[in-house]
Amino acid sequence: MSAPLRTRLAARRRSAPVASTRAATPAALTIGVIGAGRVGATLGAALTAAGHRVVAATGASGASRARLALLLPAVPAGPPPRSPGSPPTCC
């Protein structure tokens, strides 16, 4: 390594550290899971484990609601709301 290069590298190491523009701890998110099938329920559980707050979840099938009860027991869960005049869900 050449002397000028060593001098520049040493100067960089001595300089003041650059302040991060990101917060040390990211803010917790408030999340609602829509369509809590295999992915949605698992994602909601992972986000809860990471410190975020899941406040509601919907699942159309009985299997989805059972999965929500298992993975997110403290989260209010139910079927998705239907708009007036919409046909009944098939599943």
Side-chain angles (χ1 to χ4, degrees):
M1 183 182 312
S2 68
L5 181 56
R6 274 192 298 255
T7 305
R8 283 185 292 187
L9 290 174
R12 279 191 197 160
R13 285 188 215 118
R14 286 191 302 263
S15 66
V18 177
S20 173
T21 57
R22 298 179 71 185
T25 305
L29 301 173
T30 300
I31 299 163
V33 179
I34 301 171
R38 290 183 182 113
V39 174
T42 304
L43 182 60
L47 290 168
T48 298
H52 301 289
R53 201 172 127 227
V54 177
V55 296
T58 62
S61 70
S64 290
R65 287 193 296 277
R67 196 175 298 112
L68 284 170
L70 177 68
L71 296 174
L72 299 167
V75 176
R82 288 184 35 208
S83 58
S86 66
T89 57
C90 67
C91 310

